[in-house]
Amino acid sequence: AVSIYGMVNARWIRITPYQVKVEKQAGDLDSLKIALVADLHLGYSVGTAQMRQMVDKINAQNPDLVVIAGDIFDNEYEAIANPDRVAEILSGIKSRYGVYACWGNHDVSEKILAGFTFRSAEAVERDSRFEVFLENAGIHLLEDEVIEIDNRFYLAGRKDPDKADKEKENRLSPEELLEGLKPELPVFVMDHQPDELEKLEQAGVCVDLSGHTHAGQMFPGNLFVRLRWENPAGAMKKGDMWSCVTSGAGVWGPAMRIGTDSEIMIINIKETERI
């Protein structure tokens, strides 16, 4: 009975709203709504039905910006039953400023066993089909890149440290990535793994948008993740920065969730006056 519940629960995506208050800046953020998703893990366990549900629920929220914080794929492109159809479904996401994504540690073409991959001394060759898929889906990839949106805010996307290591690539530090930006505009950063909160806060980030943890996915993992991550799920204030970590819209390994939910995190930005 618990196993059946876990399988059904994993496929039902919930909306979890958060209100994040930031200091008032020149960017005028008081009406900004961000839809944050991550860890789709498109492949054997997640496909057209779950993505259709996710897209419909995102669109019902009428967000200004949609962010996909990594692990879009589950390593094996061939595991996606109908990639063209899935990309077409994702292209239906509607938002004022578009859909943006960064890579995660599973967005690497490797063989996978029960959710686990095995490191090699050789550099992993990048699968170009991943990027073509994102283009077809209308998803803008930011890979150690920053863009200015509507003269209101910056959005940055970081490389994932594990993916960069496997592909033998360098990864910019928060200071290097955000160097030279207008100080009056707030900065949002997509960073798949919520591991460098202090460094990001010191670099002047306003909101860090992450996934990766799955909130533990299955009991008792939902209890143990707090030993590994400062913010394993939800919204947490870190100095002057907010860390927002979604439990993910898909699953890793077994297609079950017990003690956690698949979710779309809706972040409503509210401004407060500077003191």
Side-chain angles (χ1 to χ4, degrees):
V2 172
S3 297
I4 292 172
Y5 163 78
M7 289 186 288
V8 173
N9 185 50
R11 295 185 180 280
W12 182 252
I13 303 174
R14 293 165 172 81
I15 299 292
T16 54
Y18 290 86
Q19 192 169 104
V20 169
K21 295 182 179 180
V22 299
E23 287 187 343
K24 188 173 180 62
Q25 302 185 54
D28 182 24
L29 295 178
D30 209 29
S31 61
L32 188 67
K33 179 189 284 188
I34 301 173
L36 169 62
V37 293
D39 303 288
L40 311 185
H41 286 275
L42 297 173
Y44 293 114
S45 298
V46 180
T48 55
Q50 202 153 343
M51 290 301 95
R52 168 53 63 193
Q53 181 191 169
M54 185 189 79
V55 169
D56 289 345
K57 290 187 174 182
I58 288 175
N59 290 344
Q61 294 297 310
N62 193 27
D64 295 301
L65 178 69
V66 177
V67 167
I68 305 176
D71 277 3
I72 301 158
F73 303 99
D74 204 19
N75 294 95
E76 295 182 69
Y77 189 85
E78 292 82 1
I80 307 173
N82 191 341
D84 291 340
R85 178 57 181 152
V86 176
E88 181 184 2
I89 290 171
L90 291 174
S91 71
I93 298 176
K94 298 179 176 62
S95 69
R96 180 179 183 183
Y97 295 126
V99 185
Y100 293 86
C102 66
W103 291 132
N105 58 300
H106 282 275
D107 295 318
V108 179
S109 183
E110 294 179 303
K111 292 298 181 183
I112 188 168
L113 178 64
F116 292 95
T117 57
F118 304 92
R119 289 188 178 274
S120 170
E122 301 295 326
V124 174
E125 185 175 343
R126 180 170 295 197
D127 191 335
S128 62
R129 292 176 296 178
F130 288 169
E131 293 180 29
V132 172
F133 178 98
L134 295 187
E135 291 175 5
N136 292 338
I139 298 170
H140 306 285
L141 176 68
L142 296 179
E143 192 173 12
D144 267 359
E145 298 172 273
V146 185
I147 61 167
E148 182 181 333
I149 296 181
D150 197 24
N151 198 35
R152 294 181 72 189
F153 59 91
Y154 289 109
L155 179 66
R158 300 193 72 191
K159 288 184 177 181
D160 179 78
D162 291 339
K163 177 178 170 66
D165 179 60
K166 291 177 180 179
E167 295 180 345
K168 307 302 181 188
E169 293 186 346
N170 294 323
R171 183 192 193 216
L172 298 180
S173 69
E175 293 78 11
E176 292 170 330
L177 179 62
L178 305 179
E179 184 179 5
L181 303 185
K182 300 174 186 175
E184 68 271 17
L185 293 186
V187 180
F188 300 101
V189 172
M190 298 181 293
D191 195 5
H192 177 61
Q193 302 186 39
D195 277 336
E196 295 188 332
L197 303 188
E198 185 172 350
K199 291 181 180 180
L200 289 164
E201 192 270 339
Q202 291 175 351
V205 174
C206 179
V207 181
D208 182 38
L209 305 161
S210 304
H212 183 64
T213 70
H214 292 234
Q217 189 163 314
M218 294 196 303
F219 177 87
N222 56 325
L223 304 179
F224 293 152
V225 287
R226 298 188 179 279
L227 302 176
R228 169 63 180 83
W229 287 283
E230 186 175 4
N231 179 24
M236 183 197 79
K237 192 77 181 291
K238 176 72 174 179
D240 292 330
M241 182 187 78
W242 280 92
S243 165
C244 295
V245 181
T246 176
S247 65
V251 290
W252 168 81
M256 301 171 67
R257 277 191 181 270
I258 299 170
T260 68
D261 296 323
S262 299
E263 71 170 2
I264 299 163
M265 180 183 281
I266 299 297
I267 305 165
N268 294 285
I269 305 294
K270 299 294 180 183
E271 290 184 324
T272 60
E273 294 290 342
R274 288 184 183 271
I275 298 175

